[in-house]
Amino acid sequence: MAWFPLFLDLKDRNCLIAGGGKTALHKAVKLLEAQARLTVVAPVLDDSFLELPIRYYCRTVRPEDVHGMTLVVDATGDVAAGSALAKACRENGIFFDAASNPEQGTALFPAVLRRGSFLAGISTLGASPAAAAWARDRLDEALPPRFDEILQQMQELRAKAKTHISQQEQRAAFLHTCLNAALAEGGPLTKESLEKIWRSVLNERE
């Protein structure tokens, strides 16, 4: 399959998980972190689900349960149930994640790294979730400890540059200089460092 990496805004969107075991629980936690409205359908539920803000139906999942959903996750481990859900999702244009059979789905859960506004999703397309988690952890180790603070400052500087630097090339050069300096220092730039970089940009514009 030709997978395309894409981030989705699932806040307040209806999502369904079929299954109530550990795999389903892991998927549920990830979806709730994205502030999705989550429905779980399963005959038996892992006790940890009781602590989560979900809507729960104690029964076997049905194809019609996918109606109105943005994303459906099959964590039943039941081949027949998974196939029925996959068919229903295809017919209704709904993203479908098949936990035990990734090739059957149209969506994948990546290994996620989040640092403030930095968000990375790493996938091996189902080949090895453990390898994806390993790569995520190595990326986490490579980032500066205060990377989230650097990003916050860069967001503010980007807004300032859009207002005060009209030429795109000069604006990009200013922002790249700020980012490289912040990464070298391991944290947000001081007022003095910013003023120095800003003066150098102004001098180049004159």
Side-chain angles (χ1 to χ4, degrees), residues 147-177:
F147 192 60
D148 53 337
E149 298 176 51
I150 293 175
L151 289 182
Q152 178 61 42
Q153 185 180 60
M154 290 303 302
Q155 183 177 23
E156 296 167 359
L157 292 174
R158 186 166 180 258
K160 181 179 179 180
K162 284 184 176 181
T163 301
H164 297 284
I165 306 176
S166 58
Q167 294 186 17
Q168 194 277 333
E169 289 185 2
Q170 289 180 329
R171 189 163 62 242
F174 167 71
L175 293 173
H176 276 101
T177 300

Side-chain angles (χ1 to χ4, degrees), residues 74-140:
D74 170 36
T76 62
D78 185 310
V79 175
S83 296
L85 287 175
K87 181 175 183 295
C89 287
R90 284 196 303 271
E91 293 173 348
N92 290 276
I94 298 169
F95 285 113
F96 178 63
D97 172 65
S100 59
N101 188 12
E103 293 184 357
Q104 191 179 44
T106 55
L108 292 168
F109 275 55
V112 175
L113 172 61
R114 187 187 297 271
R115 291 268 204 98
S117 58
F118 177 80
L119 179 63
I122 300 173
S123 175
T124 58
L125 305 184
S128 174
W134 178 89
R136 175 202 59 204
D137 293 343
R138 299 296 80 72
L139 175 59
D140 190 23

